[in-house]
Amino acid sequence: MKAVFSLLAGILFMSNMAFSQVKWSVDPAHTNARFEIKHLGIAFVDGEFTKLEGQAESKDSVNFDKGTVSFSIDVNSIDTRIEARDNHLKSDDFFSAEKFPKMTLINATLTKAGKGKFKLTGDLTIKDVTKKVTFDVVQNNGTIIDPWGKTRAGFTAKTTINRFDYNIKYADKTAAGIDAVAPEVAITVNVELVKN
């Protein structure tokens, strides 16, 4: 009987552990999603999305291995510092922002890849296409308590995608046959999480 009670106690403990995930929210004031793409084969143009939100869960306040992440970006918030270019990027040549106003990353899981390093693999949806993507992630200086008593953690995630894979098919070329806008897009997301 004692063994049975011990087994039941163990199961109850594990069950409580399973439901005691720490929940985090993305702090949009200290988070940015940036991109960089080659222009005319000779230089790079960069920009960012200024409106985004997201959530994360971790085992505890310091252990993010096997943690989960979800993210949503307002495509209409794109900002490359040139209004005419922003409007072109929102058009059907690129993001079709009126029809597809959100870009999302869901079902994303962090896997430890070294001290303070992770791989983040999840489903990235741009326009009407969803593909699996993996980010290289660095946790910046662990977890801290801010001056107002809130627990925070910061991460930098990087990946490169091919825009043609997501039906972003603008394909003008120079007379020499060089892409006006390269297929490869480098993405960097700097995220600050606040414990709920």
Side-chain angles (χ1 to χ4, degrees):
M1 184 64 71
K2 184 177 180 181
V4 172
F5 279 123
S6 296
L7 178 61
L8 289 173
I11 292 172
L12 182 61
F13 175 75
M14 293 303 293
S15 176
N16 288 336
M17 289 288 288
F19 289 99
S20 62
Q21 295 277 75
V22 174
K23 297 182 184 298
W24 306 76
S25 294
V26 168
D27 179 356
H30 300 99
T31 297
N32 59 73
R34 305 190 60 80
F35 61 89
E36 186 177 73
I37 190 166
K38 187 172 283 188
H39 179 243
L40 299 175
I42 58 170
F44 286 89
V45 172
D46 69 322
E48 67 176 320
F49 296 92
T50 61
K51 293 181 181 179
L52 59 165
E53 58 186 17
Q55 298 79 37
E57 292 188 1
S58 63
K59 291 180 181 178
D60 53 47
S61 295
V62 296
N63 185 2
F64 286 88
D65 187 31
K66 301 299 186 284
T68 59
V69 176
S70 62
F71 223 84
S72 176
I73 291 173
D74 181 350
V75 176
N76 283 291
S77 72
I78 195 167
D79 181 10
T80 65
R81 303 175 300 282
I82 304 293
E83 185 178 1
R85 182 167 60 205
D86 294 345
N87 289 335
H88 189 199
L89 290 169
K90 294 175 192 178
S91 76
D92 289 340
D93 279 346
F94 290 92
F95 286 108
S96 301
E98 185 174 348
K99 187 175 181 181
F100 305 106
K102 296 291 183 181
M103 184 188 310
T104 61
L105 178 69
I106 63 172
N107 302 322
T109 301
L110 286 159
T111 303
K112 195 169 181 62
K115 186 176 181 180
K117 296 180 180 181
F118 300 87
K119 297 288 186 180
L120 176 66
T121 300
D123 299 321
L124 177 64
T125 299
I126 301 175
K127 296 180 75 171
D128 55 346
V129 178
T130 300
K131 287 187 173 293
K132 194 75 70 179
V133 66
T134 297
F135 291 79
D136 293 315
V137 179
V138 174
Q139 186 174 4
N140 304 315
N141 201 33
T143 303
I144 62 100
I145 305 296
D146 70 19
W148 305 275
K150 293 183 178 180
T151 302
R152 294 179 180 261
F155 300 84
T156 298
K158 296 184 177 184
T159 194
T160 299
I161 64 171
N162 187 315
R163 63 185 176 85
F164 291 137
D165 291 342
Y166 292 89
N167 282 338
I168 302 175
K169 296 187 179 297
Y170 180 79
D172 279 8
K173 294 181 181 293
T174 68
I178 297 170
D179 291 314
V181 180
E184 297 80 16
V185 184
I187 300 171
T188 300
V189 184
N190 292 297
V191 181
E192 189 166 308
L193 297 176
V194 183
K195 183 179 173 182
N196 292 349

